Amino acid sequence: MSSKRLDGRTPDALRPIQFTRHWLPEVPGSVLAEFGGTRVLCTAIVENTVPHFLQNTGEGWVTAEYDMIPASTGTRHQRRRGSRPDGRAVEIQRLVGRALRCIVNRKAIPGRTVWVDCDVLAADGGTRTTAINGAYVALHDAFTALKEDGSIKQWPLTESLQAVSVGIVEDTTMADLNYYEDSSAEVDMNLVMTGSGRLIEINGGAERSSFSLEQLNALLDVGQSALVQIAAAQEAALQP
Amino acid sequence: MSSKRLDGRTPDALRPIQFTRHWLPEVPGSVLAEFGGTRVLCTAIVENTVPHFLQNTGEGWVTAEYDMIPASTGTRHQRRRGSRPDGRAVEIQRLVGRALRCIVNRKAIPGRTVWVDCDVLAADGGTRTTAINGAYVALHDAFTALKEDGSIKQWPLTESLQAVSVGIVEDTTMADLNYYEDSSAEVDMNLVMTGSGRLIEINGGAERSSFSLEQLNALLDVGQSALVQIAAAQEAALQP
Amino acid sequence: MSSKRLDGRTPDALRPIQFTRHWLPEVPGSVLAEFGGTRVLCTAIVENTVPHFLQNTGEGWVTAEYDMIPASTGTRHQRRRGSRPDGRAVEIQRLVGRALRCIVNRKAIPGRTVWVDCDVLAADGGTRTTAINGAYVALHDAFTALKEDGSIKQWPLTESLQAVSVGIVEDTTMADLNYYEDSSAEVDMNLVMTGSGRLIEINGGAERSSFSLEQLNALLDVGQSALVQIAAAQEAALQP
Amino acid sequence: MSSKRLDGRTPDALRPIQFTRHWLPEVPGSVLAEFGGTRVLCTAIVENTVPHFLQNTGEGWVTAEYDMIPASTGTRHQRRRGSRPDGRAVEIQRLVGRALRCIVNRKAIPGRTVWVDCDVLAADGGTRTTAINGAYVALHDAFTALKEDGSIKQWPLTESLQAVSVGIVEDTTMADLNYYEDSSAEVDMNLVMTGSGRLIEINGGAERSSFSLEQLNALLDVGQSALVQIAAAQEAALQP
Amino acid sequence: MSSKRLDGRTPDALRPIQFTRHWLPEVPGSVLAEFGGTRVLCTAIVENTVPHFLQNTGEGWVTAEYDMIPASTGTRHQRRRGSRPDGRAVEIQRLVGRALRCIVNRKAIPGRTVWVDCDVLAADGGTRTTAINGAYVALHDAFTALKEDGSIKQWPLTESLQAVSVGIVEDTTMADLNYYEDSSAEVDMNLVMTGSGRLIEINGGAERSSFSLEQLNALLDVGQSALVQIAAAQEAALQP
Amino acid sequence: MSSKRLDGRTPDALRPIQFTRHWLPEVPGSVLAEFGGTRVLCTAIVENTVPHFLQNTGEGWVTAEYDMIPASTGTRHQRRRGSRPDGRAVEIQRLVGRALRCIVNRKAIPGRTVWVDCDVLAADGGTRTTAINGAYVALHDAFTALKEDGSIKQWPLTESLQAVSVGIVEDTTMADLNYYEDSSAEVDMNLVMTGSGRLIEINGGAERSSFSLEQLNALLDVGQSALVQIAAAQEAALQP
């Protein structure tokens, strides 16, 4: 595909990626993850308790929360403090938590819960995938700190984790949609995969009409190649 | 695959399907949808208002809510009345609403909102797919009533709509999982497609580990053949 | 009184009554109770805990919840999920719980709580009395299951329980009001009595003006004769 | 009956009654109503709006709220601020509102809503009946102020209003139960009647077992004679 | 300063003060505190528990709640029952609690929590300072009761406690502002001090513009002299 | 005073100050304000509406919200989403809003509301004063953008605004307390003043005991000299 996007990218190109580790000096696992204009602060904090259903099982837990600051969208969106459920946030944080648990050997963190918080500071599309990519780096740092102070013996991560959004916009299949592209997409899909190329989550669909199985395959192709680049960026960021 | 499931089904077999139309005499679009032991009361009620963002646009709206009665799961689950968001219910009702909107020409119902309620009376797995399948029949009946009393001129449905769960349980790819199978599935996925075989939603993933792209394709195959059978059951039910 | 009602009933006649037991296959005490167009799903589920104030007292507890599905009234009513108390539902479920506790020997179910849920599926007047009548049958079935599996030794029910609405509509005293009659009633009253003819609850009054003690006596007469018929219908339903 | 109660009263005797009008200098309809140790501050405040369903009907509205301060019960009870519905308070305020509306000609207060607030300052039994008795006096004062400043032309009250609790305690039928009697009552009932001896509400029942129709009649007798005395006390208080 | 205020007071004069002790017969520490038209019922109730963070520390706790009845402001204000935080009430009750804890030796009440409730019955300005002044008297009475029944050995109060509002209204520095003055004040400040003239809290500021350090000093002078008078009124009220 | 603090500062020294403007590229008024380890993202977003009470008055409005991300405190604190009011946050955001309104000529922004959001990303003491200092810079930038695009004609800011915390820690009067100092302070006070040295807010007091008027004066002295330094830092940051 030779057509250009509004920001000059080719359909399969990603936005500039940056992972700034230790963004909060007091929190070993704290990463400012940026994909173009999208900026998510991902933190992983370990507590010495587990949920009720895991007590005395020898397993730990990983859970996630996702929120957006009011100014993140440019025009202010209402702060969520009241009693109305924010369906979208709940759906996203369930996804982040489940994806992270798939790459963690929870027997390696007995009696511990890792709280992963993803606070969106700037939202220009792909906040949930940016959250997952940054959360992986933050989790890596949190576990490194646990390992270094002798709190755990076994390395809990079994694989690396990547996520990307793919979509069909004006009949073009593309990766890493920004806000403008996301709003006008006919099909919008998130892929979460491991570093070894196995699927953890495929989640998405048509916003207004429907799409063919051929289009699904094209989306999977674009996504896979994007995930490889993201894995490389994470690995580079995690170099000491 | 020749292996049998606990309830005697072959891996690709569906549970007995039943759509009882007009279950609430006062509500034209009211269907008791049953897939085996799962029983969902789906209703479609039309109101003569539209949400704020659609006022004076000439378009109508379709929205959905999903809830479970406390006894539906056999052991009582807490009634949701308080202020705690039930993430799962919110996620499901967003899916149901979006799927229905994909097959409705909203210009054919100007100034109207269709409220689709899916109340789970008995939950034995696949409540969200049963809800979608029943909601389609209820919506069809609600639109028929509107058409017959002259309230609308154009038929609003552009296609039929089906949904099914597929999954991998003990390495076997199977369709229409019951509760027991769903709880022990390694991979769990919901497919929503139109009668013409186009995708509306693909949503799911690994619960504990990950899965390969080959496995994804096997799941899609089993799902597609199941959806054809469901479409036939809906069509039969909708015969006058 | 020879005057006929809109649905052809004489003033003291009840609507057709039906109790469908074991409506939810997984729940021993689950009854679909119908009085004409009113349909309430009543379930009784037993848990092995008691509220704090009964711990170590050798007594069990019976409590009730009441809710309506949105479509139950024909025109959709708002689902109660938020934090606003639904005064009417709270008032009804307190009545149902108190009435049931009056016929239960709570020493016969030590350490157990019975949760009775009354979910109104179709509302055509008399939902609270239908709920009580169905709840009695569901409770009977739940206790039978406990007795049969040896969980309890003593039969906990001391009496049967019936409820009926009576009212004055256009100066006529009548029993078992449907929705239309209930909305236009000058006086509206619910009677809850035991099978042996003793009162448990008398609850009602004038909606707009006031009524005489003679009218109160006429209402009690009509109600008592209705309750006898309801007791017979329950007994018939409970035959094995 | 010659038996004495703990506080020396005969079974049909009321506690000392006091209505202190204009208790809040700024609020014309503000009455501190006392029945023995029970103290309820009843206020009636008029606003120049009506609920949506009464707009442009030429009718006004009367509504009530009921609450208890935390210290009112001697041992502190939790302040109700959160989102949990306080079923009892909701039930009571619905009763107070409905009773008041039965004696108000709402056509005489077009376009106005009267908010009646009953705040229990000390609770020694009979708070809801004390609230109704005091609310009548407060409403009378609020309407007098409206009449005097020319805001309304027609006197809105059609009758006076009284309420009393009656009950069976250790087999004795008695009136105006204090907290101790109320807690140990076998049967507990509230009667709301008009000054001309017509019923507005009869509401109550057995707490633990059941009672006969003869007992119901005895309760009605004791109650009627109590209501006559309360009406006299209100009339005396309303003398200028 | 010789200028008079609307109610005839000189700038530094207080309104008539009254502390009616034992206002609720069942509650030893219950005081109706009045500063002119402002009337706050202050109660102190002792419970035999402490918050989690004080368990097994040998210390007790003092906490406060503040609320207003709807009619207290003359025109009705909405009852706070819902889930929206009432920022002003929360701010005030935190202040009351913190001030009281400053004069209580919490080691003298091990294992106990004192709940101080300040319910505003009539609000004519200075409700929070009236609440603090009355709460001190109620607390004194509650501790006297504890001492007399032998529950505590050591007297827990280390000092007396007073509070007053001061402000600048039309360029005049004045004490104990009523509602009208408070609404039109350019600067509004609350002082909380101990009987020995030490500060506990200084809290306030400009509503619309700003003020000089000289003005701050003038406010402190007026306030100190007012607090001496309030201390005298408390002492007089506490005479047996 | 020659004694050093734990981080090496003299008692009257401030922590390193930084204001990073335009931190969110899409939001003209967005400032990351840092005082040592405390980091607050302050944004000012303008909407073309005003609250109900200002409609048709020719005046605009300025309001503020304050929140902390869960990881901001190093150990995770609970995200505020539920219905429990967070008293501290409400108190702070009321202070921020009131202070900003004191330096804004609201007639210069008719028909507009400025939403100032202060989201604490890292909390090491002084979050509310850092929020105010950063909010001033963000507000300045937001108004500059309005002025430049011709939306407003008159410059709305009448003065600059500064805030600082002062306190007594181990008998030493000091400025700009960090978290450790704040937790162990005997007296803790926040000063908000304008660039011309006039007070807007003085707010604070003793946490456990009380303090003298001499100590109050010492706190004011230290605070004033700190505020001058902060004003200089703001001015430097606002240079183009």
Side-chain angles (χ1 to χ4, degrees):
Chain A
M1 289 167 285
S2 65
S3 68
K4 283 277 177 59
R5 305 203 226 171
L6 273 190
D7 59 5
R9 283 189 282 159
T10 55
D12 54 359
L14 301 176
R15 295 175 288 179
I17 304 176
Q18 191 152 350
F19 298 104
T20 310
R21 291 163 64 199
H22 312 305
W23 201 79
L24 296 175
E26 303 295 315
V27 183
S30 63
V31 172
L32 184 68
E34 297 174 82
F35 273 68
T38 290
R39 219 175 278 187
V40 183
L41 180 52
C42 304
T43 61
I45 294 181
V46 183
E47 290 185 350
N48 290 327
T49 56
V50 284
H52 192 71
F53 66 92
L54 284 180
Q55 265 157 25
N56 305 317
T57 61
E59 294 193 17
W61 189 239
V62 179
T63 187
E65 295 206 350
Y66 170 99
D67 210 352
M68 303 174 83
I69 67 165
S72 60
T73 55
T75 56
R76 187 173 189 275
H77 79 107
Q78 209 56 39
R79 199 176 288 276
R80 286 282 167 183
R81 266 179 182 160
S83 55
R84 309 268 292 278
D86 177 354
R88 184 181 161 275
V90 172
E91 186 180 329
I92 292 175
Q93 67 193 21
R94 287 161 58 90
L95 167 62
V96 177
R98 195 168 57 239
L100 292 171
R101 287 192 294 274
C102 278
I103 57 152
V104 170
N105 173 8
R106 295 197 279 109
K107 294 213 168 92
I109 49 166
R112 287 190 169 79
T113 293
V114 187
W115 289 86
V116 174
D117 287 285
C118 302
D119 285 272
V120 178
L121 303 183
D124 185 23
T127 61
R128 85 184 68 188
T129 51
T130 302
I132 289 173
N133 292 322
Y136 167 71
V137 180
L139 199 60
H140 197 287
D141 276 341
F143 286 149
T144 299
L146 281 189
K147 197 81 171 45
E148 282 175 357
D149 70 11
S151 300
I152 57 173
K153 302 206 177 98
Q154 202 185 339
W155 182 242
L157 292 172
T158 59
E159 286 218 56
S160 70
L161 177 73
Q162 292 83 37
V164 77
S165 71
V166 290
I168 305 176
V169 183
E170 291 176 15
D171 292 325
T172 304
T173 304
M174 51 178 69
D176 191 24
L177 283 61
N178 64 21
Y179 178 73
Y180 174 82
E181 292 164 344
D182 188 74
S183 324
S184 53
E186 293 110 45
V187 178
D188 178 19
M189 184 169 293
N190 291 297
L191 292 178
V192 187
M193 292 181 79
T194 67
S196 67
R198 289 174 65 85
L199 276 157
I200 283 184
E201 183 93 14
I202 171 171
N203 189 328
E207 284 305 306
R208 279 174 292 272
S209 59
S210 55
F211 58 109
S212 68
L213 288 162
E214 290 70 36
Q215 288 174 304
L216 173 62
N217 284 326
L219 289 164
L220 288 169
D221 285 347
V222 165
Q224 277 174 283
S225 111
L227 292 166
V228 170
Q229 298 171 59
I230 294 169
Q234 289 172 327
E235 204 173 334
L238 282 168
Q239 295 308 314
Chain B
M1 288 168 285
S2 65
S3 69
K4 283 277 178 58
R5 305 201 226 170
L6 273 190
D7 60 4
R9 283 190 281 159
T10 55
D12 54 358
L14 301 176
R15 295 175 288 180
I17 303 175
Q18 191 152 349
F19 299 105
T20 309
R21 291 163 63 199
H22 312 306
W23 201 79
L24 295 176
E26 303 295 315
V27 183
S30 63
V31 172
L32 185 67
E34 298 174 81
F35 274 67
T38 290
R39 218 176 277 186
V40 183
L41 180 52
C42 304
T43 61
I45 294 181
V46 183
E47 290 184 350
N48 290 326
T49 56
V50 284
H52 192 71
F53 65 92
L54 285 180
Q55 267 158 24
N56 305 317
T57 61
E59 293 193 17
W61 189 240
V62 178
T63 187
E65 295 206 351
Y66 170 98
D67 210 351
M68 302 174 82
I69 69 164
S72 61
T73 56
T75 57
R76 186 171 190 276
H77 78 107
Q78 210 56 39
R79 198 177 288 276
R80 287 282 167 183
R81 265 178 184 162
S83 55
R84 309 269 290 280
D86 178 353
R88 184 182 161 274
V90 172
E91 186 180 326
I92 292 175
Q93 68 194 20
R94 287 161 58 90
L95 167 63
V96 177
R98 196 168 56 240
L100 292 171
R101 286 192 295 274
C102 278
I103 57 152
V104 171
N105 172 8
R106 296 197 280 108
K107 294 213 168 91
I109 50 167
R112 288 190 168 78
T113 293
V114 188
W115 287 87
V116 174
D117 286 284
C118 302
D119 285 272
V120 177
L121 304 182
D124 186 22
T127 61
R128 86 184 69 187
T129 50
T130 303
I132 289 172
N133 292 322
Y136 168 72
V137 181
L139 199 60
H140 197 287
D141 277 341
F143 286 149
T144 301
L146 281 189
K147 197 82 171 41
E148 283 175 355
D149 71 11
S151 300
I152 56 173
K153 301 211 175 93
Q154 201 185 339
W155 182 242
L157 292 173
T158 58
E159 285 219 56
S160 70
L161 177 73
Q162 291 83 37
V164 76
S165 71
V166 291
I168 305 176
V169 183
E170 292 175 15
D171 293 324
T172 305
T173 304
M174 52 179 66
D176 190 22
L177 282 62
N178 65 21
Y179 178 74
Y180 174 82
E181 292 164 344
D182 188 75
S183 324
S184 53
E186 293 110 46
V187 178
D188 179 21
M189 184 170 292
N190 291 296
L191 292 178
V192 186
M193 292 181 80
T194 67
S196 67
R198 289 174 67 84
L199 276 158
I200 284 184
E201 183 92 14
I202 170 171
N203 190 327
E207 285 304 306
R208 280 174 291 271
S209 59
S210 54
F211 59 109
S212 68
L213 287 162
E214 290 70 37
Q215 287 174 306
L216 173 63
N217 284 326
L219 289 163
L220 288 170
D221 285 347
V222 165
Q224 276 175 283
S225 109
L227 291 166
V228 169
Q229 297 171 59
I230 294 168
Q234 288 172 328
E235 203 174 335
L238 281 168
Q239 295 307 316
Chain C
M1 287 168 285
S2 64
S3 68
K4 284 276 178 61
R5 305 201 226 170
L6 272 190
D7 59 5
R9 283 189 282 161
T10 56
D12 54 359
L14 302 176
R15 294 175 288 180
I17 304 175
Q18 191 152 348
F19 298 104
T20 309
R21 292 163 63 199
H22 311 306
W23 201 80
L24 296 175
E26 302 295 315
V27 182
S30 63
V31 172
L32 184 67
E34 298 175 81
F35 274 68
T38 290
R39 221 175 275 188
V40 183
L41 180 52
C42 304
T43 61
I45 294 181
V46 183
E47 290 185 349
N48 290 327
T49 56
V50 283
H52 192 72
F53 66 91
L54 285 180
Q55 265 157 26
N56 305 317
T57 61
E59 293 193 19
W61 190 239
V62 178
T63 188
E65 294 206 352
Y66 169 99
D67 210 351
M68 303 174 82
I69 67 165
S72 60
T73 55
T75 56
R76 188 173 189 273
H77 78 106
Q78 209 56 40
R79 198 176 289 274
R80 286 282 167 183
R81 265 180 184 161
S83 56
R84 308 269 292 280
D86 177 353
R88 184 180 162 277
V90 172
E91 186 180 327
I92 292 174
Q93 69 194 21
R94 286 162 59 90
L95 167 62
V96 177
R98 196 168 56 239
L100 292 171
R101 287 191 295 274
C102 278
I103 58 153
V104 171
N105 173 7
R106 295 196 280 112
K107 294 211 167 93
I109 50 167
R112 287 190 169 79
T113 294
V114 188
W115 288 86
V116 174
D117 286 285
C118 302
D119 284 89
V120 177
L121 303 183
D124 186 22
T127 60
R128 85 183 70 187
T129 51
T130 302
I132 290 173
N133 292 322
Y136 167 71
V137 180
L139 199 60
H140 197 287
D141 277 342
F143 286 149
T144 299
L146 281 189
K147 197 82 172 42
E148 281 175 358
D149 70 12
S151 300
I152 57 172
K153 299 204 177 102
Q154 203 185 338
W155 182 241
L157 291 173
T158 59
E159 286 218 57
S160 70
L161 177 73
Q162 292 83 37
V164 76
S165 72
V166 291
I168 304 176
V169 183
E170 292 175 15
D171 292 324
T172 304
T173 304
M174 51 178 67
D176 191 23
L177 283 61
N178 64 22
Y179 178 74
Y180 174 82
E181 292 164 343
D182 189 74
S183 325
S184 53
E186 294 109 45
V187 178
D188 179 19
M189 184 169 292
N190 292 295
L191 292 177
V192 186
M193 292 180 78
T194 68
S196 67
R198 290 174 66 84
L199 277 157
I200 283 184
E201 183 92 14
I202 170 171
N203 189 329
E207 285 305 306
R208 280 175 290 272
S209 59
S210 54
F211 59 108
S212 69
L213 288 162
E214 289 71 37
Q215 288 174 305
L216 173 62
N217 284 327
L219 288 164
L220 288 170
D221 285 348
V222 165
Q224 276 174 284
S225 110
L227 292 165
V228 169
Q229 298 170 59
I230 295 168
Q234 288 172 326
E235 204 174 335
L238 282 167
Q239 294 309 314
Chain D
M1 289 169 285
S2 64
S3 70
K4 284 276 178 59
R5 306 201 224 171
L6 272 190
D7 60 4
R9 283 190 282 159
T10 55
D12 54 358
L14 302 175
R15 294 175 289 179
I17 304 175
Q18 192 153 348
F19 298 105
T20 309
R21 292 164 63 200
H22 311 306
W23 202 79
L24 294 176
E26 302 296 314
V27 183
S30 64
V31 172
L32 184 68
E34 297 174 83
F35 274 67
T38 290
R39 220 176 276 187
V40 183
L41 179 53
C42 304
T43 60
I45 294 182
V46 183
E47 290 185 348
N48 291 327
T49 56
V50 284
H52 193 70
F53 65 91
L54 285 179
Q55 265 157 25
N56 305 318
T57 61
E59 293 193 18
W61 189 240
V62 179
T63 187
E65 294 206 351
Y66 169 99
D67 209 351
M68 302 174 83
I69 67 165
S72 61
T73 56
T75 56
R76 187 171 190 276
H77 78 107
Q78 210 54 41
R79 198 176 289 274
R80 286 283 167 183
R81 265 178 185 162
S83 55
R84 310 267 293 278
D86 177 353
R88 184 181 162 275
V90 173
E91 186 180 327
I92 292 175
Q93 68 194 21
R94 287 161 58 90
L95 168 62
V96 177
R98 195 167 57 239
L100 292 171
R101 286 192 294 274
C102 279
I103 58 151
V104 170
N105 173 9
R106 295 196 279 111
K107 295 213 168 90
I109 50 167
R112 287 191 168 78
T113 293
V114 188
W115 289 86
V116 174
D117 286 284
C118 302
D119 284 273
V120 178
L121 304 183
D124 186 22
T127 60
R128 86 183 68 187
T129 50
T130 303
I132 289 173
N133 292 322
Y136 167 72
V137 180
L139 200 59
H140 198 286
D141 276 342
F143 286 148
T144 300
L146 281 189
K147 196 83 170 42
E148 283 174 358
D149 71 12
S151 300
I152 56 172
K153 301 209 176 95
Q154 202 184 338
W155 182 241
L157 292 172
T158 58
E159 285 219 55
S160 69
L161 177 73
Q162 292 82 38
V164 77
S165 72
V166 291
I168 304 177
V169 184
E170 291 175 17
D171 292 325
T172 304
T173 303
M174 51 179 68
D176 191 23
L177 283 61
N178 63 23
Y179 178 74
Y180 174 82
E181 292 164 345
D182 188 75
S183 325
S184 53
E186 294 110 46
V187 178
D188 180 19
M189 183 170 292
N190 292 296
L191 291 177
V192 186
M193 292 181 78
T194 68
S196 67
R198 289 174 66 85
L199 277 157
I200 283 184
E201 183 92 14
I202 170 170
N203 189 326
E207 285 304 308
R208 280 174 291 271
S209 59
S210 54
F211 59 108
S212 68
L213 287 162
E214 290 71 35
Q215 287 173 306
L216 173 62
N217 284 326
L219 289 164
L220 288 170
D221 285 347
V222 165
Q224 277 174 284
S225 109
L227 291 167
V228 169
Q229 298 170 57
I230 294 168
Q234 288 172 326
E235 204 174 335
L238 282 168
Q239 294 309 315
Chain E
M1 290 168 284
S2 64
S3 69
K4 284 278 176 59
R5 304 202 226 170
L6 273 190
D7 60 5
R9 282 190 282 160
T10 55
D12 54 358
L14 302 176
R15 294 174 289 179
I17 304 175
Q18 193 153 347
F19 298 105
T20 309
R21 291 164 63 201
H22 311 305
W23 201 79
L24 295 176
E26 302 296 315
V27 182
S30 63
V31 172
L32 185 68
E34 298 173 83
F35 274 67
T38 290
R39 222 176 274 187
V40 184
L41 180 52
C42 304
T43 60
I45 294 181
V46 183
E47 290 185 348
N48 291 327
T49 55
V50 284
H52 192 69
F53 66 91
L54 286 178
Q55 266 157 26
N56 305 317
T57 60
E59 293 193 19
W61 189 239
V62 179
T63 187
E65 295 205 351
Y66 170 99
D67 210 352
M68 303 174 82
I69 67 165
S72 61
T73 55
T75 55
R76 188 173 189 275
H77 78 107
Q78 211 55 40
R79 199 175 289 273
R80 287 281 168 184
R81 266 179 183 161
S83 56
R84 309 269 292 281
D86 177 354
R88 184 181 162 276
V90 172
E91 185 180 328
I92 292 175
Q93 68 194 20
R94 286 161 59 91
L95 167 63
V96 177
R98 196 168 56 239
L100 293 171
R101 287 192 294 275
C102 278
I103 58 152
V104 170
N105 173 7
R106 296 196 281 109
K107 294 211 168 94
I109 50 166
R112 287 189 169 80
T113 294
V114 188
W115 288 86
V116 174
D117 287 285
C118 302
D119 284 90
V120 178
L121 304 183
D124 186 22
T127 60
R128 86 183 69 186
T129 51
T130 303
I132 289 173
N133 292 322
Y136 167 71
V137 180
L139 199 60
H140 197 287
D141 277 341
F143 285 149
T144 299
L146 281 188
K147 197 81 171 43
E148 282 175 357
D149 71 11
S151 300
I152 57 173
K153 300 207 176 99
Q154 203 185 339
W155 182 241
L157 291 172
T158 58
E159 286 219 56
S160 69
L161 177 72
Q162 292 82 37
V164 76
S165 72
V166 291
I168 304 176
V169 183
E170 292 175 16
D171 292 324
T172 305
T173 305
M174 50 178 68
D176 191 22
L177 283 60
N178 63 23
Y179 178 73
Y180 174 82
E181 292 163 344
D182 189 74
S183 326
S184 53
E186 294 110 46
V187 178
D188 178 20
M189 183 170 292
N190 292 294
L191 292 177
V192 186
M193 292 181 79
T194 68
S196 68
R198 290 174 67 83
L199 278 157
I200 283 183
E201 183 93 14
I202 170 170
N203 189 328
E207 284 305 306
R208 280 175 290 271
S209 58
S210 54
F211 58 109
S212 68
L213 286 162
E214 290 70 38
Q215 287 174 306
L216 173 63
N217 284 326
L219 289 164
L220 288 170
D221 284 347
V222 166
Q224 276 174 284
S225 109
L227 291 166
V228 170
Q229 297 171 59
I230 294 168
Q234 288 172 326
E235 203 174 335
L238 282 167
Q239 294 308 314
Chain F
M1 288 168 285
S2 64
S3 69
K4 285 275 178 61
R5 306 201 224 172
L6 273 191
D7 60 4
R9 282 190 282 160
T10 55
D12 53 359
L14 302 176
R15 296 175 288 180
I17 304 175
Q18 192 152 349
F19 298 105
T20 310
R21 291 164 64 200
H22 310 306
W23 201 79
L24 295 176
E26 302 296 314
V27 183
S30 63
V31 173
L32 184 68
E34 298 174 82
F35 274 68
T38 290
R39 221 176 275 187
V40 183
L41 180 52
C42 304
T43 61
I45 294 181
V46 183
E47 290 186 349
N48 291 327
T49 56
V50 284
H52 192 70
F53 65 90
L54 284 180
Q55 266 157 25
N56 306 317
T57 61
E59 292 193 18
W61 189 239
V62 178
T63 187
E65 295 206 351
Y66 169 99
D67 210 352
M68 302 173 82
I69 68 164
S72 60
T73 55
T75 56
R76 187 171 189 276
H77 78 108
Q78 210 55 42
R79 199 176 288 275
R80 287 282 168 183
R81 265 179 185 162
S83 56
R84 309 270 291 280
D86 177 354
R88 183 180 161 278
V90 172
E91 186 181 326
I92 292 174
Q93 68 194 21
R94 287 161 57 90
L95 167 62
V96 177
R98 197 167 56 239
L100 292 172
R101 287 192 293 276
C102 279
I103 57 151
V104 171
N105 173 8
R106 297 196 279 110
K107 294 211 168 92
I109 49 165
R112 287 189 168 79
T113 293
V114 187
W115 288 86
V116 174
D117 286 284
C118 302
D119 285 272
V120 178
L121 304 183
D124 186 22
T127 60
R128 87 184 67 187
T129 51
T130 303
I132 289 173
N133 292 321
Y136 167 71
V137 181
L139 199 59
H140 198 286
D141 276 341
F143 286 149
T144 300
L146 282 188
K147 197 83 172 39
E148 282 174 357
D149 70 12
S151 301
I152 57 173
K153 302 209 176 93
Q154 202 185 340
W155 182 243
L157 291 174
T158 59
E159 287 218 56
S160 70
L161 177 73
Q162 292 82 37
V164 77
S165 72
V166 290
I168 304 176
V169 183
E170 292 176 17
D171 293 325
T172 304
T173 305
M174 51 179 67
D176 191 22
L177 283 60
N178 64 22
Y179 179 74
Y180 175 82
E181 292 164 343
D182 188 75
S183 324
S184 54
E186 294 110 46
V187 177
D188 179 21
M189 182 169 293
N190 292 296
L191 292 178
V192 186
M193 292 181 78
T194 68
S196 66
R198 290 174 64 84
L199 277 157
I200 283 183
E201 183 92 13
I202 169 170
N203 189 328
E207 285 305 306
R208 281 175 290 271
S209 59
S210 53
F211 59 108
S212 68
L213 287 162
E214 290 71 37
Q215 287 174 306
L216 173 62
N217 284 326
L219 289 164
L220 287 170
D221 285 347
V222 165
Q224 277 174 283
S225 108
L227 291 166
V228 169
Q229 297 171 58
I230 294 168
Q234 289 172 326
E235 204 174 335
L238 281 167
Q239 295 307 315

